[in-house]
C-alpha cells in the first residue's frame, strides 16, 4: 500500500490568512505514463468530500484560485490563501497512482 | 447537475449480506468508471474498488476483494456494492463516486452501514 502522511493534523487560521498543508507518500506517485495522480479533497462539516485539486496542481471545475497544489515525487503541498469561512473542514490528500489511498486528514479551524 | 444517491444501508448482523445501490443522474452514466469509497467512524477513508464504464472490469482493494462485489446496470444508471460476510470493521459511511482510480470528482451523500449484533 502507498501510505499517505498529512501534516499537520489540525491547523488554526484567521480569516483572510494563508495556510499550507503537507502530504507525503511512502512511494513516488509518478505513474508509468508520466502522470502524478495526487489529489486534494475538502470535507465540510456534515457533508461529503469534494474534489479540489487533481494531478497535483489542476483545480477542479468551480474551485477558487485561492486553492493551489504543488509538489512532485513524494512531497506535495496544498496552499489556501485569503481563507474564508466556507474553507473550514477537513482536507484529505489522496493518490491514484497505485490502488487509491488517502491521508488521515488535516482539520482547518478558525483561530 | 451531477447527482449520486446511495441507498440500502442500515443495521446488519455480523456474517450477513447487504447490497448498496447508487442511482446516478446529470451525466451519461455509461461513459464513466465508478467507485465506492468508505469512511469509518474515525474518519479514515478507504477505497473499496471500481468498475469500468461498461461493467467488463473491476478492481478491488486487496483486503476487501473476497467479500465485496461491485456491479452496475447502465440501463438504470445504477451502481451496486454487494457486501457479504460483513464484520464490525465494515461499519462506515459508504460513498458512491464518479471517475476511476486516479481521482474522484463527484461523491454521493453517503449511506451508513452499521454492523452489530
Amino acid at each position: 500500500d502507498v501510505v499517505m502522511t498529512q501534516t499537520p493534523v489540525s491547523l488554526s487560521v484567521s480569516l483572510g490568512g494563508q495556510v499550507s498543508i503537507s502530504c507525503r507518500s511512502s512511494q513516488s506517485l509518478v505513474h508509468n505514463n508520466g502522470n502524478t495522480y495526487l489529489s486534494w479533497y475538502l470535507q465540510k462539516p456534515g457533508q461529503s468530500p469534494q474534489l479540489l485539486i487533481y494531478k497535483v496542481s489542476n483545480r477542479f471545475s468551480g474551485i477558487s484560485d485561492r486553492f493551489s497544489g504543488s509538489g512532485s515525487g513524494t512531497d506535495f503541498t496544498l496552499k489556501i490563501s485569503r481563507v474564508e469561512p466556507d474553507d473550514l473542514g477537513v482536507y484529505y490528500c489522496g493518490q491514484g497512482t497505485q490502488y487509491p489511498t488517502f491521508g488521515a486528514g488535516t482539520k482547518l479551524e478558525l483561530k | 447537475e451531477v447527482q449520486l444517491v446511495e441507498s440500502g444501508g442500515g443495521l446488519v448482523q455480523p456474517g450477513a449480506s447487504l447490497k448498496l445501490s447508487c442511482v446516478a443522474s446529470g451525466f451519461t452514466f455509461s461513459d464513466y468508471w465508478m467507485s465506492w469509497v468508505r469512511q469509518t467512524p474515525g474518519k479514515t477513508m478507504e477505497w473499496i474498488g471500481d468498475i469500468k464504464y461498461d461493467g467488463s472490469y473491476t478492481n478491488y482493494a486487496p483486503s476487501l476483494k473476497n467479500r465485496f462485489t461491485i456491479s452496475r446496470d447502465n440501463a438504470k444508471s445504477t451502481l451496486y456494492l454487494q457486501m457479504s460476510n460483513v464484520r464490525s470493521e465494515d461499519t462506515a459511511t459508504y460513498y458512491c463516486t464518479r471517475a476511476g482510480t486516479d481521482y474522484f470528482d463527484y461523491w454521493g451523500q453517503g449511506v451508513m452501514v452499521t454492523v452489530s449484533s
Side-chain angles (χ1 to χ4, degrees), chain A residues 20-31:
Chain A
S20 292
I21 300 170
S22 173
C23 177
R24 181 167 291 179
S25 58
S26 60
Q27 304 172 35
S28 172
L29 297 186
V30 180
H31 192 275

Side-chain angles (χ1 to χ4, degrees), chain A residues 24-44:
Chain A
R24 181 167 291 179
S25 58
S26 60
Q27 304 172 35
S28 172
L29 297 186
V30 180
H31 192 275
N32 290 340
N33 63 15
N35 289 318
T36 300
Y37 295 113
L38 186 284
S39 50
W40 290 95
Y41 303 85
L42 165 61
Q43 187 171 31
K44 299 177 184 178

Side-chain angles (χ1 to χ4, degrees), chain B residues 8 14 31 68-69 76 79 88 115:
Chain B
D31 284 349
F68 288 15
T69 303
K76 296 181 178 179
L79 178 72
S88 58
V115 181

Side-chain angles (χ1 to χ4, degrees), chain A residues 37 39 41 43 47-51 54-55 60 92 95-96 98-100 102-104, chain B residues 37 39 43-47 60-62 95 101-110:
Chain A
Y37 295 113
S39 50
Y41 303 85
Q43 187 171 31
Q47 296 187 20
S48 310
Q50 62 179 100
L51 177 66
Y54 63 96
K55 285 195 277 189
F60 185 54
Y92 295 91
Q95 66 79 25
Q98 295 186 27
Y99 84 80
F102 296 89
Chain B
V37 176
Q39 187 172 36
K43 302 302 182 184
T44 298
M45 303 261 279
E46 182 179 22
W47 176 75
Y60 297 95
Y95 293 101
T101 57
D102 44 2
Y103 58 86
F104 309 101
D105 60 358
Y106 290 97
W107 298 59
Q109 87 286 352

Side-chain angles (χ1 to χ4, degrees), chain B residues 57-91:
Chain B
Y57 189 69
T58 52
N59 292 299
Y60 297 95
S63 61
L64 300 173
K65 185 174 185 176
N66 295 328
R67 298 189 298 117
F68 288 15
T69 303
I70 297 173
S71 60
R72 64 193 296 163
D73 184 338
N74 284 346
K76 296 181 178 179
S77 296
T78 302
L79 178 72
Y80 302 101
L81 176 65
Q82 177 71 51
M83 306 166 61
S84 62
N85 190 23
V86 296
R87 307 165 181 168
S88 58
E89 53 264 39
D90 296 323
T91 294

